Amino acid sequence: MVTLYPRTEAFPGLEDTGIDEFLVRFRRESTFLIYVGVLLGTFLFHWSTLLTVYIPLPAFMLPAGLREKHASRVLGSRIYLLRQAVFLVKLVAGMCWGADARVREKLGLPPQPADPGTWRQS
Amino acid sequence: MTHTSFREDAFTLDVDYIVVGSGAGGATAASALARGGAHVAVVEAGPWRDPEHYPHSMYGAMRDLFDDWGAGVAQGRALWPIVQSSCVGGTTVINCAICVRTPADIFDQWEREHGVAGGSFRDTMWKHQDALETELSAELPPPESLGRNSELALIGAKALGYESHVMTRYTKRCAGSGQCLQGCRSERKQSLNLQFIPEVLAKGGHVLSCAPVHRVLLEGRRAVGVTGRFRHPQTHKKGGTFTVRARKAVLVAASVTHTAPILERSGVKNPMLGLGFRAHPGTGVFGIYDDVVDMNKGATQGWASMAYRDDPGFKLETLSIPPEMLSSRLSGVGQELMRRIGEYRHIAMWVLAVRAESVGTVHNGLFDRSVVKYGFNEADMLRLRKGMGVIARTHFAAGAKKVVPGIFGLPYELTADQLSLIDEGPLDPRAYIAILSHLFGGCVMGKDPARSVCDESGRVHGYEGLLVADASVIPTNLGVNPQHTIMALARTFVDRLLEA
Ligand SMILES: Cc1cc2nc3c(=O)[nH]c(=O)nc-3n(C[C@H](O)[C@H](O)[C@H](O)COP(=O)(O)OP(=O)(O)OC[C@H]3O[C@@H](n4cnc5c(N)ncnc54)[C@H](O)[C@@H]3O)c2cc1C
Ligand code: SF4
């Protein structure tokens, strides 16, 4: 995930936006199907390197530059289900990254308060 | 006022009428019944969230407001997400409140092809739409709330010489916060959790939330109630059983993706059940401008054009999305993606909704999940592609320096002299990122019981006391935003029910 949204001069990277806590929360709060979809997408991301950069190593063992090349190619893969599965990972990671106050500030948006998660009980 | 939320213990209730679902169709039907003096229970699968409960982030919106986290997809050659809401107020809580009257040609088409909506039907519907516009404060956004995204679209369409306009929406002085998809916290948008549902309570009705109906109870061919188990909105755990009995009728308005499956689970026999699923698939083209656009400042959707509704068949609109969604919508990863996102403030997003002729199905699947099958035919792909070309040209006419079509296989961004790439773009739906948000059918109305599920009063053929009152009854696409039509249909059906 961090490969998708790396730290740059302009923006904090995914690792700076609390992705670890986000994933714990996501696991707890999301539905079984979505969570399995993200796990599957992550699995496919790591084990499809042979199709993209022609190296028989999982993506997490690749050097950063090559991993980014793999990420770019896998999202542009001609295999629809593969690119859709990884797209889901990108979408979920984007939910964390794009909601970060520093990212929003760079994009001219005010910080967002925490989501209340409450409802009318009576 | 009686509202019952999630419970661990069993719950029973007797009323005159039950309305299943509290969205555009359900809330409108329930309030019309309550105004007619009936004792009504609204049974809603999702929780009741007031504006102070609404999420701020898109993550929160998917978790708290979207049906099944927005994870539903239409299965076809491509997997396109189906977006709907699950909460009191239904999809009106997350929609953009665009208010468009049912066009006259739609009634003609319904009469010609389905034998319904003849005679005074159209006048009744328009009379209801008059009233709904007043009750829900249909108005144009104040000029200061329109936003640059929509202003640019007006400029572009004018330069190209086609009709376009600022949209009328059910809002009270829209403040232009661009947050309709997360629910309007400032209560400007007149979603039906704020409007008709409180009226049902005030008139002595009952609302059950967190209460997904599993099936309608039938005694022979008569609907006598509904049953299911409460579902906790946070943990999704099941609670106690609820059973609501109806002395007079059950109106099912659980949306296109749920109404037909509920009827199937209930044992309703009709060969047309689940058929005739239709949609207005939507996709967008981004324009990148030298000046700041700040699409999130202004009405979430403020501009539209109907110039191409009849031929070839699409509607154009502006739409603003938050950075969380944009980041996945822009192709690329890593440094390249970050550079692209860096242009966020300069991006305008305009979308098209295809008046598609493709037809699909919606059925009850494994573990009672709704299964939508929907292939997108070539004629519709041509419409989609044509619409994207029109949007791209409009961006350039408005001063964009480049456009981002988001079509698989095409360069990330195109300049004005590269637009033939869109015109000749792929016709494979898998090359496009589209969503389905305007849905129709599954329980279509018609005169002939062999070709329809309901009659033109929403009554399910061959059953007593069982009606459908949501977008499921609509037998064609509309080519315009559906909420106004759905609400007017619900009122028309209730008028006839109460008269009977
Ligand atoms: C993002 C978005 C923007 C849109 N913008 C516009 C717009 O601006 N203007 C417009 O005209 N249209 C718009 N639409 C479409 C419009 O909102 C819908 O067409 C309309 O709300 C559908 O009405 P409905 O009554 O059929 O279903 P819904 O409004 O979806 O209501 C169905 C309700 O039934 C409940 N339900 C489902 N299953 C069960 C069950 N088993 N038991 C009990 N309850 C159940 C659901 O939780 C939901 O609350 C938009 C849609 C989306 C997704
Ligand atoms: S744009 Fe903002 S203020 Fe206007 S209706 Fe939508 S959420 Fe409310």
Side-chain angles (χ1 to χ4, degrees), chain B residues 4-175:
Chain B
T4 304
S5 183
F6 177 82
R7 290 168 65 132
E8 296 281 4
D9 56 339
F11 176 86
T12 56
L13 181 70
D14 287 329
V15 292
D16 294 336
Y17 296 97
I18 298 168
V19 179
V20 179
S22 63
T28 312
S31 72
L33 286 164
R35 286 178 196 182
H39 185 209
V40 190
V42 176
V43 187
E44 164 57 49
W48 189 336
R49 298 193 199 264
D50 293 307
E52 74 259 28
H53 303 297
Y54 290 165
H56 297 272
S57 68
M58 266 327 280
Y59 173 87
M62 290 172 76
R63 182 192 67 186
D64 295 347
L65 299 176
F66 284 26
D67 186 19
D68 200 17
W69 275 72
V73 287
Q75 299 172 15
R77 197 166 159 72
L79 298 173
W80 285 346
I82 296 176
V83 182
Q84 292 189 108
S85 186
S86 181
C87 58
V88 170
T91 307
T92 72
V93 175
I94 61 162
N95 78 12
C96 296
I98 299 160
C99 166
V100 188
R101 282 180 170 232
T102 318
D105 60 81
I106 290 297
F107 297 112
D108 295 339
Q109 190 184 0
W110 289 354
E111 189 175 5
R112 202 174 52 243
E113 295 175 5
H114 301 274
V116 293
S120 60
F121 196 93
R122 148 191 338 207
D123 294 333
T124 308
M125 288 278 290
W126 281 344
K127 190 187 75 186
H128 284 314
Q129 289 180 337
D130 281 339
L132 285 161
E133 283 163 27
T134 308
E135 290 169 38
L136 300 182
S137 317
E139 62 172 30
L140 296 173
E144 66 277 13
S145 301
L146 183 59
R148 191 68 187 145
N149 197 22
S150 293
E151 283 169 9
L152 285 169
L154 281 170
I155 294 169
K158 190 170 175 207
L160 293 183
Y162 68 80
E163 173 281 331
S164 86
H165 54 273
V166 174
M167 283 192 281
T168 300
R169 292 154 70 236
Y170 318 105
T171 52
K172 280 188 185 154
R173 286 168 289 104
C174 167

Side-chain angles (χ1 to χ4, degrees), chain B residues 169 171 174-180 183-186 188-189 298-300:
Chain B
R169 292 154 70 236
T171 52
C174 167
S177 70
Q179 285 239 315
C180 291
C184 181
R185 296 180 66 85
S186 58
R188 312 289 172 112
K189 180 167 76 179
T300 312

Side-chain angles (χ1 to χ4, degrees), chain A:
Chain A
M1 277 184 172
V2 170
T3 313
L4 303 175
Y5 300 93
R7 189 181 297 149
T8 65
E9 272 182 21
F11 289 111
L14 189 64
E15 69 265 46
D16 306 315
T17 59
I19 183 68
D20 292 335
E21 303 90 82
F22 174 86
L23 287 176
V24 171
R25 191 155 65 95
F26 178 69
R27 183 181 180 168
R28 193 177 62 238
E29 296 178 341
S30 69
T31 62
F32 175 74
L33 262 186
I34 295 253
Y35 190 67
V36 167
V38 171
L39 283 185
L40 183 72
T42 311
F43 177 84
L44 289 172
F45 175 80
H46 283 299
W47 296 98
S48 55
T49 46
L50 209 52
L51 300 173
T52 56
V53 288
Y54 318 113
I55 293 178
L57 284 176
F60 59 80
M61 290 182 72
L62 298 178
L66 201 54
R67 195 163 55 235
E68 189 169 319
K69 192 171 185 181
H70 161 67
S72 169
R73 289 190 179 167
V74 81
L75 276 159
S77 165
R78 302 195 72 79
I79 305 169
Y80 181 65
L81 288 179
L82 177 61
R83 69 171 190 265
Q84 286 301 107
V86 180
F87 177 80
L88 181 63
V89 177
K90 186 178 172 191
L91 176 81
V92 170
M95 293 286 158
C96 172
W97 182 83
D100 184 82
R102 281 158 303 168
V103 172
R104 288 177 61 83
E105 191 190 344
K106 300 261 179 199
L107 300 176
L109 295 167
Q112 285 172 336
D115 298 321
T118 47
W119 64 95
R120 198 190 275 209
Q121 309 220 6
S122 57

Side-chain angles (χ1 to χ4, degrees), chain B residues 393-414:
Chain B
R393 286 179 172 80
T394 312
H395 274 306
F396 286 115
K401 57 180 179 185
K402 50 197 180 183
V403 295
V404 177
I407 301 173
F408 182 74
L410 260 62
Y412 169 72
E413 55 196 20
L414 302 176

Side-chain angles (χ1 to χ4, degrees), chain B residues 5-11 43-46 208-215 226-233 236-244 265 368:
Chain B
S5 183
F6 177 82
R7 290 168 65 132
E8 296 281 4
D9 56 339
F11 176 86
V43 187
E44 164 57 49
L208 272 79
S209 63
C210 311
V213 166
H214 183 249
R215 63 193 172 91
V226 300
T227 187
R229 284 181 69 184
F230 288 102
R231 186 179 55 206
H232 195 276
H236 312 295
K237 291 226 169 77
K238 288 195 171 167
T241 304
F242 62 84
T243 306
V244 186
R265 290 204 291 272
D368 289 334

Side-chain angles (χ1 to χ4, degrees), chain B residues 313-347:
Chain B
F314 53 79
K315 185 179 180 221
L316 302 177
E317 292 172 350
T318 45
L319 172 68
S320 60
I321 57 172
E324 298 103 293
M325 290 187 87
L326 184 87
S327 58
S328 54
R329 183 65 174 68
L330 297 179
S331 64
V333 297
Q335 304 285 332
E336 186 180 53
L337 177 64
M338 299 309 242
R339 185 187 56 74
R340 291 171 178 175
I341 297 172
E343 295 184 306
Y344 179 78
R345 298 193 67 185
H346 296 262
I347 292 180

